[in-house]
Amino acid sequence: MSGIAGIIRFDGAPVDPGAVVAMTASMAYRGPDGIKHWRSGPVALGQCMLRTTPESLEETQPLASEDASLVLVMDGRVDNWEELRRELLARGAVLRNRSDAELVLKAYQVWGRDCLPHIDGDFAFVIWDARRQRAFCARDRMGIKPINYHWDGKTFSFASDLQPLFALPWIKREPNEGVLSEFLAAQWHTRDETLWRGIMRLVAAHRMEVDGGGLRLDQYWEPDLWARLTYTKDGEFIERYRELLTDSARRLSRSHRPVAVEVSGGLDSSAIFCLAEHLRRSHLLPAPGVQGYTLNFSGDPRADELAYARAVGKHLGLRIEEIPPSMLPLGWFAERAGSGGDFPGFANGTMAQHLLQQASASGSCAILSGAGGDEWLEGSPAYYEEELMQGNWSTLSDCFGHDRSAFGVLHALKLLARHGFYPLTPLVFQTASRRIYRGLTGGRKFDEHYWLSPHMRELIRSRRRPGSEPQVRVAGQRELNATWRDVYRAIAIQEADRFYAATGVEVRYPFLTTELVQFAFSTPERLRLRGDRHKYIHVQAMRGFMPQAVLQRKDKAEFSLVVRRHLDQMQELLTETLPRERPEWLSRGGMARLFRAYQDDPQAGWPLWILWGVFGCDKVLA
């Protein structure tokens, strides 16, 4: 988790060298291995370095080309470094060192703005092209590495975090009420705006060129919904999935220090740890070792996964370090929001602080996470519509048989009707049936966003952007496509980046690699969900690598305890103080009603997360 920052003036005026120094100083935690700057007249660039791969030991940034006509600052890795290096050498490129930054700079020299299809990994970079008087900016396909920017018509400023931009005197802290309404309503619509007017974020899988004429953005990648796999048997899909996940674990384990792994005891993180250890024993792990860590929630049955994590350790004959979860005080979140100028994240997202600190103290600078597995592997009964559309009667019968065994005949018939026949009926029938259902159930309109002020309720309504349903090849792609485009998912990834960076450890997500995500879009839905067995393809692929106790697991841990401990002490703040101090945001009666909904059912997700969101927004804009 390095950091980048820069100022480019297109009016020709020189940049004050102290300005970019102030930017990098405000995110110095991203540069435990050093901070460096480059300046030439109207351009100043800075980079905060965290070295996480053997090749990064040869890396110096900002990185200039031989004739200094190109200068790169980058946060990230190239995960197809082997293939890209061969491709560049075949084209006659002369590589001065083995660093990923050198590969990216040379790729731009060879292919220009079309370099991105050749680069895979987690990255955010900016290249100043002096000959063209143009900046070229890009963000990775999954949006793992962040980049925020400000453009006022003559000066382009950018940084990994928001606070470096506030170090510049011409950028003001003016709240963006539209985005604020999305956070307060827990209903996100905007991918490129931030909580501050005029400060934008480059969206995942997008590139941008900036020159005196302004900004030009476009999307360079998205999952191919029409790509097909030629496999005819389930076993072929399963084998290919195992190959892809193993290779993903291998590539993302590349480090000059032992790689750490978060091992919750769930299907996803346990698989990553088992595969990393398998690679190590096969002498294929591109790191000197692997160490697992798990959170010890003894005493909380909803969150305690120690038995599963210990089963993984026993299966491998390894010790997995057990770390107590971090219960950070409210003041920590308030300080983080105020100093960072960004939403402080949810309390359950910070439980691993002590774990990360231990991993860093033990010598690791990179940690593998199982996050992302739920999004691409869970599955839905959309397999009925898929198999009906394709006339796969034998497969359809198998799907029904699995549901009948898991849920009984009646429920299986309901699934077949709801997720198979109903979506294939004419639209006029679907509309009429929904109208009849509303009539039979009373048709009462939900009092939406009752905790917000009238102003905020109107604002969130105006933020909704109606869009047509994307055309998909098969039914299961609808939910996958919604996940890929989900705004909150993008925000959560950016929050995680900042949290991990503060510990000096880079987080890597083997389930969020380009090939695995594309594979999900090309896989029949029946391979994700079979009866009551979610992640079916994953479970089948991991047989022999993981203990049966984990492979057979169907429950999930629940970590709202960390948030509830805070909320239980915040009733007066949330129902009296904040509505009184923020009447333009909140309804006093609505907030009291929302808190009662939380008290009546503390396990219900939506009141809990909204209440915390109100607290977080107040601290950002305090």
Side-chain angles (χ1 to χ4, degrees):
M1 297 285 177
S2 297
I4 60 175
I7 305 166
I8 303 173
R9 297 196 59 161
F10 288 97
D11 59 1
V15 174
D16 175 5
V20 74
V21 171
M23 294 178 79
T24 54
S26 71
M27 57 175 182
Y29 65 90
R30 287 185 175 271
D33 293 323
I35 299 175
K36 294 190 176 181
H37 306 92
W38 178 93
R39 187 175 72 91
S40 178
V43 181
L45 305 174
Q47 201 256 3
C48 307
M49 178 66 75
L50 171 63
R51 304 184 190 278
T52 65
T53 68
E55 292 78 9
S56 69
L57 299 176
E58 303 176 19
E59 184 174 302
T60 299
Q61 289 193 49
L63 178 65
S65 60
E66 291 86 346
D67 61 0
S69 63
L70 300 174
V71 186
L72 162 82
V73 284
M74 180 175 82
D75 168 23
R77 304 177 322 280
V78 175
D79 290 333
N80 65 330
W81 77 96
E82 300 149 315
E83 296 87 345
L84 181 55
R85 182 176 290 119
R86 287 195 297 267
E87 198 172 0
L88 288 168
L89 292 174
R91 285 181 167 264
V94 177
L95 299 173
R96 295 169 294 180
N97 57 54
R98 300 183 305 148
S99 72
D100 291 4
E102 176 74 356
L103 292 176
V104 171
L105 189 62
K106 284 296 192 292
Y108 181 79
Q109 285 182 309
V110 171
W111 293 292
R113 71 187 305 273
D114 295 322
C115 63
L116 294 167
H118 302 270
I119 304 170
D120 196 15
D122 300 340
F123 56 78
F125 67 79
V126 175
I127 297 175
W128 169 243
D129 190 331
R131 290 179 181 174
R132 295 179 175 86
Q133 289 292 291
R134 177 183 302 163
F136 179 72
C137 317
R139 191 174 180 194
D140 64 78
R141 293 160 178 77
M142 299 300 140
I144 307 301
K145 301 291 187 179
I147 181 168
N148 306 284
Y149 66 91
H150 180 272
W151 168 250
D152 63 8
K154 65 178 182 180
T155 302
F156 176 67
S157 312
F158 66 89
S160 298
D161 293 338
L162 292 177
Q163 70 264 35
L165 295 172
F166 295 128
L168 303 177
W170 60 87
I171 298 179
K172 306 301 181 185
R173 285 193 180 220
E174 298 179 0
N176 182 336
E177 276 201 327
V179 174
L180 173 62
S181 73
E182 296 182 16
F183 272 88
L184 293 174
Q187 190 176 94
W188 291 272
H189 304 285
T190 309
R191 301 175 73 196
D192 60 347
E193 296 181 50
T194 71
L195 280 163
W196 305 99
R197 290 177 58 187
I199 299 180
M200 310 293 285
R201 63 169 56 93
L202 188 60
V203 177
H206 278 65
R207 61 190 169 190
M208 177 170 65
E209 292 177 302
V210 189
D211 58 24
L215 313 178
R216 293 177 299 281
L217 296 98
D218 68 310
Q219 184 170 331
Y220 67 86
W221 183 86
E222 63 181 349
D224 184 353
L225 275 62
W226 305 98
R228 294 175 178 268
L229 296 170
T230 58
Y231 308 134
T232 58
K233 298 178 180 178
D234 288 1
E236 294 174 308
F237 282 98
I238 293 167
E239 179 60 29
R240 179 57 178 158
Y241 172 79
R242 185 188 301 113
E243 291 172 357
L244 288 175
L245 186 59
T246 302
D247 192 53
S248 180
R250 179 186 70 85
R251 291 176 185 271
L252 272 64
S253 294
R254 181 173 54 123
S255 180
H256 60 295
R257 295 180 179 177
V259 66
V261 184
E262 295 176 337
V263 188
S264 69
L267 284 167
D268 306 331
S269 62
S270 298
I272 299 303
F273 184 55
C274 290
L275 287 175
E277 175 61 14
H278 168 73
L279 288 164
R280 186 194 68 81
R281 295 178 183 183
S282 302
H283 307 289
L284 295 173
L285 188 77
V290 60
Q291 176 61 56
Y293 296 87
T294 192
L295 292 176
N296 184 342
F297 276 96
S298 295
D300 181 5
R302 291 181 298 273
D304 188 0
E305 299 181 283
L306 274 182
Y308 295 109
R310 288 170 178 170
V312 172
K314 182 178 180 181
H315 178 76
L316 297 174
L318 298 174
R319 174 178 172 77
I320 295 175
E321 296 292 331
E322 300 174 4
I323 311 295
S326 303
M327 303 291 182
L328 301 177
L330 282 178
W332 184 92
F333 296 95
E335 192 283 328
R336 187 170 191 251
S339 63
D342 209 348
F343 189 78
F346 291 91
N348 61 313
T350 63
M351 300 181 303
Q353 187 187 63
H354 294 157
L355 185 156
L356 297 173
Q357 291 170 341
Q358 181 60 49
S360 178
S362 298
S364 294
C365 57
I367 189 164
L368 304 184
S369 168
D374 288 348
E375 289 94 321
W376 309 115
L377 295 172
E378 276 291 308
S380 75
Y383 47 72
Y384 279 121
E385 183 182 349
E386 286 187 6
E387 304 305 334
L388 278 169
M389 284 288 291
Q390 297 174 51
N392 295 332
W393 308 114
S394 176
T395 306
L396 184 71
S397 177
D398 287 343
C399 292
F400 183 81
H402 286 290
D403 285 339
R404 183 184 57 202
S405 298
F407 310 116
V409 175
L410 183 59
H411 188 73
L413 286 170
K414 288 180 179 178
L415 290 174
L416 174 60
R418 174 67 184 87
H419 298 280
F421 293 114
Y422 177 78
L424 301 179
T425 59
L427 183 60
V428 63
F429 173 81
Q430 295 182 34
T431 303
S433 64
R434 284 194 294 268
R435 188 179 299 116
I436 293 170
Y437 176 79
R438 285 196 298 270
L440 292 174
T441 56
R444 291 177 296 178
K445 186 176 180 182
F446 176 63
D447 186 9
E448 192 175 29
H449 305 137
Y450 57 79
W451 57 92
L452 298 182
S453 68
H455 171 63
M456 280 296 166
R457 293 175 74 173
E458 180 58 36
L459 198 54
I460 190 62
R461 280 193 290 268
S462 72
R463 301 287 288 183
R464 293 172 180 157
R465 298 171 182 177
S468 58
E469 278 286 319
Q471 188 177 8
V472 296
R473 180 176 57 83
V474 291
Q477 291 177 333
R478 293 194 193 102
E479 189 167 332
L480 293 175
N481 201 48
T483 297
W484 154 245
R485 298 180 181 279
D486 183 65
V487 176
Y488 181 69
R489 173 183 160 273
I491 293 171
I493 287 175
Q494 189 150 313
E495 288 174 357
D497 171 89
R498 194 158 58 99
F499 175 69
Y500 281 85
T503 67
V505 177
E506 178 181 72
V507 62
R508 302 175 182 177
Y509 304 99
F511 285 102
L512 294 181
T513 57
T514 306
E515 281 197 311
L516 270 174
V517 171
Q518 180 59 62
F519 181 81
F521 276 86
S522 306
T523 306
E525 192 70 7
R526 59 183 168 76
L527 288 177
R528 280 184 281 277
L529 175 61
R530 188 159 296 191
D532 62 349
R533 174 70 273 174
H534 287 274
K535 305 184 181 181
Y536 174 79
I537 189 172
H538 179 72
V539 170
Q540 296 302 312
M542 291 298 103
R543 292 196 181 281
F545 289 89
M546 294 166 58
Q548 279 297 114
V550 177
L551 286 171
Q552 293 171 354
R553 185 179 180 186
K554 296 179 181 178
D555 64 317
K556 293 184 71 68
E558 197 276 317
F559 300 110
S560 64
L561 166 72
V562 185
V563 184
R564 286 186 276 112
R565 284 185 178 178
H566 286 305
L567 289 183
D568 289 344
Q569 309 301 317
M570 294 166 64
Q571 182 171 1
E572 182 177 353
L573 172 70
L574 291 167
T575 62
E576 299 288 341
T577 306
L578 291 186
R580 182 176 63 250
E581 294 178 352
R582 304 282 194 182
E584 71 280 11
W585 293 8
L586 304 168
S587 159
R588 183 174 181 178
M591 285 297 292
R593 176 181 167 188
L594 183 67
F595 203 88
R596 284 196 302 272
Y598 159 69
Q599 290 176 317
D600 291 343
D601 186 4
Q603 301 305 315
W606 67 274
L608 178 144
W609 305 121
I610 292 170
L611 289 167
W612 183 266
V614 170
F615 162 76
C617 288
D618 175 67
K619 296 309 175 185
V620 175
L621 301 179

